[in-house]
Amino acid sequence: MVALTVGVAWAAATPPAADLKLAAPDANPEVATIYRGTLGEAVVQVTLSHDADDPDHLVGEYFIFGGGNTILLAGEITDDNFYMEESEDGSAISGYWEGKLVIEGNKGFIIGLWMNNEESVKKPFKLERVMRSRSMIKRVS
């Protein structure tokens, strides 16, 4: 196991690509994949889909249960590496998500580290892929 400085651990071996589908967002840009889990102590829901104009990139949003704001996400997954930038206002970057797609039993997760834009606050996150639905993510042309 490889341990991160905040105590998040990832398996050293990458699961086969077929297994990673349990954790990865749906490849169809018209379908949103919903994840639920924790960001630090907070319970969150993350919605991700592939950008219709650039299928190598992801767009999405998340919210904290009991919180008020929806925060926008944009980024990518390369192999099993997950990277997202977030924006509270739609233009300025307010934080980063870095992690890995992992498989635990027959469930898919994204596990990693969130940090604010100054990297002065860092929190572990663990998101379980829970469902797919028609994409409701707004795309700006």
Side-chain angles (χ1 to χ4, degrees):
M1 303 279 292
V2 176
L4 297 178
T5 56
V6 293
V8 177
W10 297 324
T14 301
D19 291 343
L20 288 177
K21 288 183 179 181
L22 290 172
D26 195 287
N28 181 348
E30 296 302 316
V31 175
T33 304
I34 299 172
Y35 298 83
R36 289 195 183 134
T38 57
L39 171 57
E41 298 295 317
V43 178
V44 297
Q45 179 169 302
V46 176
T47 304
L48 297 173
S49 67
H50 284 269
D51 187 326
D53 296 326
D54 185 355
D56 290 335
H57 288 90
L58 297 170
V59 293
E61 60 190 26
Y62 81 96
F63 66 88
I64 296 172
F65 284 94
N69 296 338
T70 297
I71 300 171
L72 302 176
L73 297 168
E76 60 188 28
I77 293 176
T78 306
D79 299 321
D80 65 335
N81 296 303
F82 176 82
Y83 178 79
M84 287 285 177
E85 295 177 343
E86 72 174 46
S87 177
E88 294 177 3
D89 65 7
S91 60
I93 295 172
S94 55
Y96 304 94
W97 300 65
E98 293 182 16
K100 296 267 189 191
L101 302 180
V102 296
I103 306 302
E104 294 179 4
N106 63 350
K107 295 182 180 181
F109 296 88
I110 303 173
I111 297 175
L113 185 67
W114 173 92
M115 58 198 107
N116 67 352
N117 62 340
E118 295 93 17
E119 299 184 15
S120 60
V121 178
K122 298 178 181 182
K123 299 177 184 181
F125 69 84
K126 183 174 184 179
L127 307 172
E128 179 182 357
R129 180 179 166 160
V130 294
M131 71 174 67
R132 298 172 14 182
S133 68
R134 279 229 169 267
S135 182
M136 297 189 308
I137 298 171
K138 298 175 186 173
R139 291 178 173 80
V140 178
S141 314

